[in-house]
């Protein structure tokens, strides 16, 4: 674990001196730090991020700060999250090769990871705001979710190995606590750090006046906190994905924890739905419909690829203690129905998590640029209202929305909803 007294947030000026002594970094960037250019480019909620460029090549350096960058040092946050992020990246690379940046070096004392510089990749959220398409996006993300979920669970892992891993990640306490509060609870009451677009008050009041909806959100929180089904990314939004026009990578798994299989895929779909609902503020009318349709296609591809890959792994890699062949195939019985039933449950969980994520990004502390970049407050409120209402529908009726067609129809209905 880290040694806090050795740690300090590094400046671009001192980074070269420190990292050029690490052979693997010198080999990637160049031996002489005097010829390095270092820029701090972090614009996320938590960390420092440096681009380090030299005569040989470029790397990314991510260093955890001991507090929440978005809020300041009044909200301390342990540095050990970098330790868990490093472990998560290693496991994701094993479970879905090529899906995450390669890690070159991890310095536990400095809470610092040196990794592959992705270029010409852009943060996906920005691409969606700018109206850019990414070939193969939905398939890649659906397979990533299925592979990391299946291969990180006792459907695949030996029970003892999985339990040991649950033990390792269970030390990451404060990070899940952020999600437990900011995502699952704060949107549904007047929590201290909440903020929302002023004209949303009546819609927000309706949500908070619905005990059934709040009970559903708390039930999802119970699953999130208690169902250690697999190793999650834990924060799989469009800011945790970098893409070119034809290739994508998943980054930033510092919110890693063991949790329910449907969580990552649900968060992902929520972020595509928010991109979808926010589009009228970002596109000319002539391009709006076709780009919104493309986003819906991506959602459909995520869900289809997730299910198809999960079924493939079920047939080929079901080597763990769950649903063993001894109970099915070895007795001449198919396990296809068991797989379908499990997938239906995962889907319903995913849609519940999806609805909650749509709420928290509009009502809780950490909003997203899809809506925050909208200058016209009336338009912002109208688009956020559609998003909030669809989120409630998903949370309340997750089990009933059994097909992707139903989900996309619902999105189209709410997108067309006349909001004063
Ligand atoms: C205080 S951290 C706020 C948010 O930033 C991260 O990216 C997570 O989404 C978290 O909920
Ligand atoms: Mg992040």
């Amino acid at each position: 674990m880290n040694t806090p007294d050795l740690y300090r947030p590094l400046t671009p000026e001192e980074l070269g001196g420190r990292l050029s002594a690490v052979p693997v970094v010198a080999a990637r960037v160049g031996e002489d730090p005097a010829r390095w250019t270092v820029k701090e480019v972090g614009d996320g909620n938590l960390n420092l991020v440096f681009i380090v460029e030299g005569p040989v090549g470029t790397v990314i350096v991510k260093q955890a700060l001991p507090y929440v960058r978005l809020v300041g040092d009044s909200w301390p946050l342990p540095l050990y999250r970098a330790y868990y992020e490093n472990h998560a990246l290693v496991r994701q690379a094993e479970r879905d090769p090529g899906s995450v940046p390669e890690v070159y070096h991890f310095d536990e004392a400095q809470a610092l990871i040196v990794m592959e510089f992705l270029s010409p990749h852009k943060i996906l959220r920005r691409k969606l705001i700018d109206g850019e398409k990414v070939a193969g996006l939905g398939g890649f993300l659906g397979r990533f979710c299925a592979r990391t979920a299946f291969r990180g669970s006792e459907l695949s892992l030996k029970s003892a190995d999985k339990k040991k891993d649950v033990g390792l990640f269970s030390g990451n306490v404060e990070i899940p606590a952020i999600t437990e509060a900011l995502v699952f609870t704060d949107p549904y009451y007047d929590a201290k750090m909440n903020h929302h677009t002023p004209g949303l008050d009546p819609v927000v009041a309706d949500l908070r006046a619905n005990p059934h909806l709040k009970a559903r959100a708390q039930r999802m929180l119970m699953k999130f906190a208690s169902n250690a089904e697999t190793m999650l990314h834990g924060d799989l939004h469009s800011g945790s994905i970098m893409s070119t026009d034809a290739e994508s990578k998943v980054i930033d798994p510092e919110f890693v924890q063991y949790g329910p299989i449907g969580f990552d895929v649900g968060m992902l779909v929520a972020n595509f739905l928010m991109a979808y609902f926010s589009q009228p503020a970002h596109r000319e009318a002539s391009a709006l419909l076709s780009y919104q349709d493309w986003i819906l296609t991506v959602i459909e591809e995520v869900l289809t690829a997730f299910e198809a890959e999960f079924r493939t792994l079920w047939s080929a890699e079901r080597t763990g203690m769950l649903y063993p062949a001894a109970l099915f195939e070895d007795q001449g019985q198919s396990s296809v129905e068991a797989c379908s039933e499990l997938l239906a449950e995962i889907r319903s969980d995913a849609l519940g998590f999806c609805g909650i994520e749509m709420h928290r990004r509009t009502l809780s502390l950490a909003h997203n640029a899809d809506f925050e970049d909208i200058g016209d407050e009336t338009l912002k409120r109208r688009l956020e209202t559609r998003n909030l209402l669809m989120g409630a529908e998903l949370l309340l009726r997750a089990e009933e929305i059994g097909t992707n067609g139903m989900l996309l129809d619902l999105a189209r209905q709410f997108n067309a909803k006349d909001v004063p």
Side-chain angles (χ1 to χ4, degrees):
M1 300 301 274
N2 58 59
T3 321
D5 52 336
L6 290 181
Y7 167 89
R8 78 197 157 90
L10 297 176
T11 62
E13 293 69 38
E14 65 194 325
L15 206 66
R18 285 184 174 245
L19 288 180
S20 60
V22 179
V24 70
V25 180
R28 293 272 172 191
V29 185
E31 303 274 329
D32 178 7
R35 298 178 65 203
W36 294 12
T37 312
V38 183
K39 274 187 292 195
E40 206 277 308
V41 295
D43 63 353
N45 295 333
L46 301 177
N47 306 295
L48 295 172
V49 180
F50 302 91
I51 297 179
V52 181
E53 200 179 345
V56 177
T58 305
V59 298
I60 286 287
V61 177
K62 178 173 175 183
Q63 187 183 33
L65 286 167
Y67 53 85
V68 175
R69 186 175 185 166
L70 174 69
V71 174
D73 54 14
S74 60
W75 187 349
L77 204 58
L79 298 171
Y80 63 54
R81 65 187 187 273
Y83 167 86
Y84 295 108
E85 176 166 5
N86 179 52
H87 275 294
L89 283 166
V90 169
R91 283 156 183 71
Q92 289 168 339
E94 275 166 18
R95 291 169 190 164
D96 190 11
S99 64
V100 297
E102 191 183 338
V103 173
Y104 301 138
H105 172 68
F106 172 55
D107 180 337
E108 191 176 346
Q110 290 304 322
L112 173 157
I113 304 174
V114 183
M115 63 189 124
E116 183 182 356
F117 173 59
L118 301 172
S119 176
H121 299 66
K122 260 169 70 173
I123 289 289
L124 178 63
R125 194 184 301 286
R126 191 44 59 191
K127 283 178 96 69
L128 296 171
I129 291 170
D130 292 347
E132 297 171 18
K133 294 184 181 174
V134 179
L137 179 63
F140 163 75
L141 291 170
R143 285 188 295 279
F144 172 83
C145 289
R147 288 174 185 167
T148 53
F150 193 96
R151 291 175 173 155
S153 76
E154 280 155 316
L155 290 162
S156 160
L157 292 177
K158 285 198 180 66
S159 195
D161 292 341
K162 189 253 183 176
K163 286 177 171 67
K164 195 170 153 214
D165 220 43
V166 171
L168 185 145
F169 283 99
S170 69
N172 196 9
V173 176
E174 283 82 354
I175 290 282
I178 292 179
T179 305
E180 289 155 13
L182 291 193
V183 177
F184 287 93
T185 307
D186 289 3
Y188 305 107
Y189 79 109
D190 190 17
K192 200 167 147 217
M193 290 180 294
N194 283 355
H195 58 104
H196 62 253
T197 308
L200 286 176
D201 285 350
V203 188
V204 178
D206 274 358
L207 292 182
R208 293 181 182 161
N210 186 340
H212 181 53
L213 181 125
K214 290 185 281 192
R216 296 275 292 191
Q218 287 300 297
R219 179 68 186 106
M220 298 314 294
L221 170 56
M222 193 168 163
K223 291 187 183 201
F224 175 74
S226 314
N227 293 4
E229 293 172 357
T230 194
M231 191 197 84
L232 304 175
H233 176 284
D235 196 25
L236 194 51
H237 54 76
S238 50
S240 298
I241 298 157
M242 292 189 74
S243 303
T244 66
D245 294 345
E247 189 204 63
S248 299
K249 301 261 185 193
V250 174
I251 62 167
D252 265 5
E254 73 199 297
F255 279 69
V256 57
Q257 70 166 77
Y258 272 82
I261 288 180
F263 184 76
D264 283 344
V265 76
M267 297 290 267
L268 193 56
V269 170
N271 278 270
F272 282 118
L273 284 171
M274 288 186 278
Y276 171 78
F277 284 120
S278 68
Q279 284 303 313
H282 304 304
R283 296 278 77 70
E284 294 296 326
S286 56
L288 179 60
L289 270 185
S290 76
Y291 195 67
Q292 279 189 311
D293 275 347
W294 178 76
I295 297 176
L296 293 186
T297 310
V298 174
I299 294 175
E300 187 165 26
E301 283 170 3
V302 167
L303 294 168
T304 307
F306 175 81
E307 180 172 334
E309 186 67 7
F310 194 94
R311 287 186 189 280
T312 302
L313 297 171
W314 180 276
S315 305
E317 296 185 17
R318 215 169 72 250
T319 50
M321 60 93 170
L322 291 173
Y323 299 85
L327 296 186
F328 298 96
E329 290 80 359
D330 293 357
Q331 298 184 37
Q333 293 158 6
S334 166
S335 64
V336 170
E337 203 182 317
C339 181
S340 300
E341 278 175 17
L342 179 58
L343 276 167
E345 230 181 279
I346 292 170
R347 178 193 170 83
S348 151
D349 280 357
L351 295 185
F353 292 129
C354 178
I356 292 167
E357 169 74 354
M358 291 163 81
H359 287 164
R360 78 93 172 208
R361 289 288 183 193
T362 337
L363 304 180
S364 178
L365 169 71
H367 290 209
N368 56 23
D370 311 58
F371 291 122
E372 291 311 294
D373 280 7
I374 304 174
D376 175 343
E377 205 153 276
T378 305
L379 180 58
K380 180 172 183 246
R381 174 186 55 76
R382 293 178 66 229
L383 303 180
E384 286 180 327
T385 300
R386 291 172 179 163
N387 173 67
L388 286 172
L389 295 177
M390 174 144 181
E393 187 80 359
L394 291 177
L395 182 52
L396 290 168
R397 295 187 39 233
E399 300 83 357
E400 297 162 43
I401 306 163
T403 67
N404 296 339
M406 287 169 80
L407 178 67
L408 302 194
D409 281 350
L410 214 53
R412 288 193 189 94
Q413 278 168 36
F414 280 99
N415 183 56
K417 198 170 177 58
D418 196 14
V419 178

